Amino acid sequence: MATRDALNSAPKQYPSVPSRFFTPERILFLVLFLLSLGGIGVSDFSLDVGFWYWLVMVPIFACASIYHAWGESTKKGEPWKGVLVRLILHWAAMMAAVYLVYLLQHAGRISQGDAGLILLLTLSLTVFLGGIHFNWRFAVLGVILGGTVAMAALVEKYLWLMVVPVIVGALLVVFWKTAASKK
């Protein structure tokens, strides 16, 4: 009896701030963000490698989007088939945009460096719209990616110095939302 009382009176263990903040979902979004930034550099480096890089990025983002939308739809009791069809069409449009941007680049209509920025802009819009329709977290990521494109266009020389505050700001927003939801 005394041991049960001792167990009940023991202080509750709360998870540490880093373990609450760095959840697998948040780490996934951070990885997606960093991969999309890498696409700008890869596209500047090589047209062919950049084209394949972006073609691989689309299914990666699509899989993350499908995973999160599936979780949301099961919580809401929505039929999964309709959500899956919409997501496949949503990301197929992005895949077509990747092809069209590189078609423009091959035709000499846009430069190799511009192709990476255009694709990041296209990805940010696709991710944002995915967030509007499927999971709000993707909308936040889309805004962050769009802000990165704007920074790259305005201050290409200092882009890598400005990415750090964007990442820190995004992490603070997520941390704030997590702390507010725990109350």
Side-chain angles (χ1 to χ4, degrees):
M1 181 94 166
T3 56
R4 187 169 31 157
D5 289 337
L7 289 175
N8 289 337
S9 66
K12 292 184 178 181
Q13 295 292 326
Y14 293 103
S16 66
V17 171
S19 67
R20 282 191 318 203
F21 188 67
F22 292 110
T23 63
E25 182 178 80
R26 291 186 184 124
I27 291 171
L28 173 67
F29 281 106
L30 181 61
V31 168
L32 290 175
F33 175 73
L34 294 174
L35 285 173
S36 54
L37 286 183
I40 296 174
V42 170
S43 296
D44 285 345
F45 173 71
S46 165
L47 173 66
D48 292 331
V49 174
F51 175 69
W52 289 107
Y53 183 87
W54 287 106
L55 282 180
V56 168
M57 284 297 296
V58 173
I60 290 171
F61 271 82
C63 288
S65 178
I66 288 169
Y67 172 76
H68 285 284
W70 175 72
E72 291 290 317
S73 69
T74 55
K75 285 180 191 173
K76 295 177 183 175
E78 293 179 17
W80 171 238
K81 235 181 193 180
V83 173
L84 183 62
V85 168
R86 287 190 327 231
L87 278 167
I88 288 172
L89 291 173
H90 181 84
W91 288 102
M94 175 63 195
M95 189 73 78
V98 169
Y99 178 75
L100 291 173
V101 166
Y102 277 98
L103 188 65
L104 289 170
Q105 202 283 322
H106 266 298
R109 305 291 296 191
I110 59 174
S111 72
Q112 187 169 333
D114 291 341
L117 288 175
I118 291 168
L119 286 170
L120 184 56
L121 177 63
T122 307
L123 180 66
S124 70
L125 178 61
T126 304
V127 169
F128 178 77
L129 291 174
I132 296 287
H133 296 289
F134 303 109
N135 186 317
W136 68 268
R137 289 173 183 90
F138 279 89
V140 172
L141 181 59
V143 168
I144 293 168
L145 292 174
T148 304
V149 172
M151 285 189 325
L154 297 174
V155 219
E156 186 174 339
K157 192 176 193 179
Y158 303 104
L159 172 68
W160 300 110
L161 294 174
M162 296 182 76
V163 165
V164 173
V166 169
I167 291 172
V168 169
L171 292 174
L172 287 173
V173 166
V174 171
F175 178 72
W176 174 71
K177 285 198 110 0
T178 301
S181 69
K182 296 289 181 187
K183 290 181 181 178

